[in-house]
Amino acid sequence: MPEPTPVSMSATLAADEALARRRRAGERVLSMASGEIGLPVLPALRDRLAAAAGENAYGAVAGSPALRSAVAGYWERRGLAVDPGLVVAGPGSKSLLFALLLAIGGDVIVPVPSWVSYAAQARLAGARSVPVPILPGQGGVPDPDRLREAVTDARTAGQHPRAVVVTVPDNPTGTIASATTVRRLAQAARELDLVIVSDEIYRDLVHDGSEPAVSPALHAPERTVVTTGLTKNLALGGWRTGVARLPDSELGRALHTRLTAVASQIWSSPPAPVQTAAAYAFGEPPEVTERVAASRRLHRAVVRAVAARFTAVGAELAPTAATCYLYPDFEPLREHLAEAHGVHGGDGLAALLSERYGVGVLAATAFGEPGRPLRIRAATSRFYGETAEQQTAALETAGSADPLSLPWIRESVDRVGEVLADLAGSPVPALAPHA
Ligand SMILES: Cc1ncc(COP(=O)(O)O)c(C=O)c1O
């Protein structure tokens, strides 16, 4: 009998669970390992979910008409108009991404670095993942020239790459691929006859509205599937809700048929009460857009303050343009880390941060980086407070003042500064709170 496909626990979720155990045991820990957004549910959404609790039928596999038409409106407002009949909702965009890989078939090109689950899902789907590096500062999108080479080589070797996954804006780097890179990627995908799966779950968390993320669906509409959800913009990860926008083309309609068939065999339909609340959220009434704007301001202020602590000790860092992620490179400190701490790579660095300082981060290897890069990914989305009251205060403060004026946020940011200074053997940086 064949052995089951090897699969490991998602690095982010595993790190989170380990830190939660240590916290329960009374240890002082600072969780920067996962992108869980530590903010409360918007009351209007909580009320709608509660009112929908009686909705107990499965409903349509692709999601309710109300949700699909609200989602179509959401995409239309972002220049990506779509027929609601080509929208598919599911229990989280992660499930949809996996179902898409099953529906598309073939091997999958993934950027390096990229989110922990793409390569793992490809393996689970019985496919190969073909890693293609990004261009510097162009996180989430494989270098289009290297993509051409990799696909040609893979096909020559008898492999069957059929899809390329991109993340705009990106996790883990917190950067946004430029319009030019996205256009070149779309052109290469068309020449190579690849489906583009564009994971845009961070789209609403771009810090500067004048530089929005560009979707490859604008350049290769016939072959781009876009996914998003409410996990990041509205902190609703535990509600498990995600959506996919399929291309309006023969390919898109065939994929829709296969995707809904896969969905029908795995999860049947998205959870009905959540769909009702999600339809309201995707309709974007003012209270929803205001909440998303406040959380964007909060992420921006805190991630920038933490970034300054990393660069102050000599780590290199592409400026975070979206999300709550930092992807610092400690290469300039390689000698010191080896001599002072016996650390030679990102895994050792992450282990040291966790064991000695109680700071949870992920090593770059979790994102598919080869070798022993001294890179880690740190998320700042848990700095907003332990209680709903503190988190609400953080959101409110971000509207008019510096959220670092709140003592619990300041304490976490200062702790990062102290830990990094100790690690680097340098004095604690005297930075302005918001620097
Ligand atoms: C790039 C990316 N895609 C998808 C997801 C998962 O989203 P969902 O909660 O919709 O399954 C995450 C969560 O961390 C993510 O970072």
Side-chain angles (χ1 to χ4, degrees):
M1 241 187 24
E3 290 300 311
T5 309
V7 58
S8 47
M9 175 90 165
S10 151
T12 43
L13 299 179
D16 249 10
E17 289 190 5
L19 287 166
R21 273 196 299 277
R22 288 171 63 179
R23 179 173 284 138
R24 280 197 299 276
E27 269 186 67
R28 179 188 186 192
V29 295
L30 191 60
S31 179
M32 301 175 80
S34 91
E36 173 100 73
I37 310 289
L39 291 172
V41 177
L42 182 69
L45 294 176
R46 198 178 48 212
D47 295 346
R48 272 164 182 82
L49 182 68
E55 293 176 18
N56 60 343
Y58 284 117
V61 172
S64 70
L67 173 57
R68 287 185 288 108
S69 87
V71 172
Y74 168 94
W75 268 314
E76 188 175 3
R77 288 188 289 282
R78 286 154 182 79
L80 296 173
V82 60
D83 182 329
L86 287 168
V87 172
V88 177
S93 58
K94 193 180 203 171
S95 320
L96 283 167
L97 286 163
F98 182 52
L100 276 165
L101 297 187
L102 293 171
I104 297 165
D107 299 322
V108 187
I109 313 291
V110 296
V112 177
S114 61
W115 180 48
V116 296
S117 288
Y118 303 135
Q121 289 195 346
R123 244 190 335 274
L124 279 177
R128 283 191 189 82
S129 60
V130 181
V132 177
I134 59 166
L135 289 163
Q138 304 290 301
V141 174
D143 173 347
D145 294 331
R146 304 279 295 266
L147 173 73
R148 282 194 182 82
E149 283 166 27
V151 171
T152 308
D153 290 352
R155 287 182 175 155
T156 308
Q159 298 171 8
H160 303 285
R162 273 204 219 141
V164 53
V165 181
V166 303
T167 324
V168 265
D170 184 40
N171 168 15
T173 64
T175 61
I176 313 171
S178 69
T180 307
T181 301
V182 171
R183 183 178 42 73
R184 290 183 52 230
L185 179 281
Q187 198 179 336
R190 183 176 283 148
E191 283 164 31
L192 297 163
D193 196 18
L194 296 173
V195 177
I196 304 170
V197 177
S198 185
D199 180 345
E200 301 183 10
I201 197 157
Y202 295 98
R203 183 179 183 118
D204 294 342
L205 297 185
V206 175
H207 298 164
D208 180 352
S210 66
E211 289 172 41
V214 173
S215 174
L218 289 178
H219 297 289
E222 78 291 353
R223 61 185 57 254
T224 304
V225 182
V226 182
T227 60
T228 190
L230 303 175
T231 293
K232 306 298 175 180
N233 59 356
L234 286 163
L236 294 175
W239 283 18
R240 307 310 301 129
T241 188
V243 288
R245 173 193 182 275
L246 294 161
D248 189 0
S249 63
E250 206 178 309
L251 167 78
R253 280 179 284 280
L255 273 181
H256 182 272
T257 305
R258 286 211 290 276
L259 178 62
T260 46
V262 171
S264 77
Q265 300 291 9
I266 303 183
W267 60 76
S268 302
S269 62
V274 174
Q275 289 190 65
T276 299
Y280 181 76
F282 278 110
E284 299 183 286
E287 62 202 324
V288 167
T289 48
E290 277 157 25
R291 159 57 78 90
V292 176
S295 62
R296 191 165 44 230
R297 283 193 292 270
L298 182 57
H299 294 315
R300 178 174 185 253
V302 176
V303 85
R304 286 190 178 187
V306 175
R309 270 71 189 165
F310 278 95
T311 50
V313 299
E316 282 169 358
L317 190 56
T320 296
T323 77
C324 46
Y325 299 124
L326 301 159
Y327 198 56
D329 189 348
F330 284 78
E331 190 58 40
L333 299 175
R334 185 173 282 281
E335 220 170 284
H336 170 77
L337 291 174
E339 275 168 21
H341 304 290
V343 161
H344 303 281
D347 292 291
L349 182 55
L352 178 72
L353 285 167
S354 170
E355 284 152 25
R356 179 178 300 178
Y357 303 103
V359 173
V361 296
L362 290 186
T365 45
F367 304 94
E369 296 257 32
R372 295 168 111 189
L374 272 167
R375 276 187 183 278
I376 52 166
R377 191 207 65 178
T380 56
S381 52
R382 290 280 187 76
F383 282 24
Y384 308 142
E386 293 294 326
T387 62
E389 286 71 32
Q390 286 183 336
Q391 295 165 358
T392 304
L395 283 166
E396 280 165 7
T397 307
S400 54
D402 183 359
L404 274 91
S405 59
L406 297 173
W408 57 92
I409 297 185
R410 184 66 209 252
E411 199 183 299
S412 292
V413 174
D414 284 349
R415 173 83 186 132
V416 176
E418 283 158 25
V419 165
L420 292 176
D422 194 63
L423 186 76
S426 48
V428 178
L431 293 168
H434 53 275

